[in-house]
Amino acid sequence: MENRRFLREIPFHLMLLPGILIVLVYNYIPMAGIVVAFKRFVPSKGMFGSPWIGWDNFQYLLNMPDIYQVLWNTIYISLMKIIAGVIAPVLFALLLNEARNRLVKRSVQTIVYFPHFLSWIILGGIFIDILSPSTGIVNHFLTWLGLEPIYFLGHNSWFPVTLVGSEVWKGFGYGSIVYLAALTGINPTLYEAAVMDGAGRWKQTLHVTLPGLIPMIMLMTILSLGNVLNAGFDQVFNLYSPQVYQSGDIIDTLVYRIGMQDAQYGVATAVGLFKSAVSFLFIGISYGLATRYSDYRIF
């Protein structure tokens, strides 16, 4: 019986084979490079010929003067992005759900989805221009209101806020897709019953729409915990400068500088391995919470 089933499913296994090979070649075979984290890597000797130094790279990492500030920056920025990245799409989905004109609704959706498909290389240049303290349109507007110009990308107090705000602006439209889909799954009879009880649009949103969205909100929030150490390398790298290292330097940018600029490949690999281990732990915890509280399962 099992043999017949296997023979019947052979075409499906063959369809999976290219994807499995791609994952194997590009995701699993390169993991052999983890050994560099435990060696004093010498390019001429190669990955396996370099001398073994055990945990020295990790000790060097923990003794770096700015490592704890970098770790705090990463967690703080990523958590703020997770929180704002849930609130903004939910609010937008609720507002868009109230629109009755289909043309307006689709036009707004298209406009707010568009920034998601732009790379941070493009957006970085745009934000540098519009947030410039001397020539940026934002500071011109603040000056017109009688306020002092703000150095958004050069002040340690403003830089994390700018990162979170620009990330939310870029992704809230695309992130609202799952909530708009969840709204379509709410039973229409609940709204009819609410209307019969005298509930207006606000009461319907408060007592019908929001409770219907809570399971999806919980699921997306829990699953996003796995990204608690991913504060957005592309964004930070294209916007930060040495002036804001104190508040904007994250693990990924630290790895870039150590590995690519200082050529300390072993230490950079150790930092990356540490991040991967912590992220793996959080991903496991997030999926466990999602399974327990939202009945979400991968398999």
Side-chain angles (χ1 to χ4, degrees), residues 130-198:
I130 66 175
L131 297 178
S132 170
S134 56
T135 60
I137 187 173
V138 174
N139 278 302
H140 277 315
F141 180 71
L142 293 177
T143 304
W144 180 73
L145 293 176
L147 302 174
E148 292 292 328
I150 299 173
Y151 198 177
F152 291 97
L153 300 179
H155 195 285
N156 281 301
S157 298
W158 281 101
F159 187 69
V161 177
T162 305
L163 290 178
V164 175
S166 57
E167 176 70 24
V168 171
W169 172 84
K170 182 178 186 293
F172 82 94
Y174 191 80
S176 65
I177 292 176
V178 292
Y179 301 109
L180 290 171
L183 287 172
T184 62
I186 298 176
N187 193 338
T189 58
L190 296 176
Y191 291 102
E192 296 173 3
V195 171
M196 293 181 64
D197 289 338

Side-chain angles (χ1 to χ4, degrees), residues 35-293:
V35 71
V36 175
F38 304 94
K39 294 194 171 191
R40 183 180 296 107
F41 182 72
V42 180
S44 60
K45 295 183 179 180
M47 186 167 59
F48 298 103
S50 298
W52 186 274
I53 59 174
W55 297 94
D56 287 1
N57 285 326
F58 293 91
Q59 292 178 357
Y60 177 84
L61 167 65
L62 295 176
N63 290 328
M64 292 178 64
D66 299 328
I67 185 61
Y68 296 105
Q69 182 64 45
V70 170
L71 186 60
W72 164 251
N73 293 342
T74 305
I75 295 174
Y76 174 73
I77 293 172
S78 61
L79 284 178
M80 291 301 101
K81 286 183 176 181
I82 289 172
I83 295 171
V86 171
I87 295 176
V90 170
L91 291 177
F92 175 71
L94 291 173
L95 292 173
L96 194 63
N97 187 57
E98 296 300 316
R100 292 293 174 259
N101 189 306
R102 296 183 63 183
L103 178 61
V104 172
K105 190 173 182 178
R106 291 181 177 179
S107 300
V108 171
Q109 281 182 296
T110 302
I111 292 171
V112 299
Y113 288 174
F114 181 69
H116 173 78
F117 301 99
L118 297 178
S119 71
W120 274 111
I121 296 176
I122 297 173
L123 292 178
I126 294 174
F127 277 112
I128 289 172
D129 285 338
I130 66 175
L131 297 178
S132 170
S134 56
T135 60
I137 187 173
V138 174
N139 278 302
H140 277 315
F141 180 71
L142 293 177
T143 304
W144 180 73
L145 293 176
L147 302 174
E148 292 292 328
I150 299 173
Y151 198 177
F152 291 97
L153 300 179
H155 195 285
N156 281 301
S157 298
W158 281 101
F159 187 69
V161 177
T162 305
L163 290 178
V164 175
S166 57
E167 176 70 24
V168 171
W169 172 84
K170 182 178 186 293
F172 82 94
Y174 191 80
S176 65
I177 292 176
V178 292
Y179 301 109
L180 290 171
L183 287 172
T184 62
I186 298 176
N187 193 338
T189 58
L190 296 176
Y191 291 102
E192 296 173 3
V195 171
M196 293 181 64
D197 289 338
R201 299 301 302 176
W202 169 246
K203 292 291 185 178
Q204 292 176 40
T205 300
L206 189 62
H207 297 290
V208 179
T209 308
L210 274 178
L213 282 180
I214 284 177
M216 182 58 68
I217 294 173
M218 288 181 58
L219 176 62
M220 299 304 295
T221 304
I222 291 171
L223 293 181
S224 63
L225 291 178
N227 294 319
V228 73
L229 290 185
N230 292 322
F233 171 77
D234 292 346
Q235 179 195 22
V236 177
F237 182 74
N238 282 284
L239 293 178
Y240 86 145
S241 63
Q243 293 173 283
V244 290
Y245 278 178
Q246 181 181 350
S247 64
D249 199 16
I250 60 175
I251 292 177
D252 291 333
T253 53
L254 179 66
V255 170
Y256 173 82
R257 291 202 309 278
I258 293 175
M260 301 302 294
Q261 296 181 358
D262 299 338
Q264 299 185 55
Y265 304 109
V267 179
T269 306
V271 178
L273 181 58
F274 167 76
K275 175 192 169 184
S276 299
V278 175
S279 297
F280 178 77
L281 176 64
F282 275 101
I283 288 173
I285 294 173
S286 65
Y287 277 110
L289 292 174
T291 301
R292 180 172 182 179
Y293 295 105

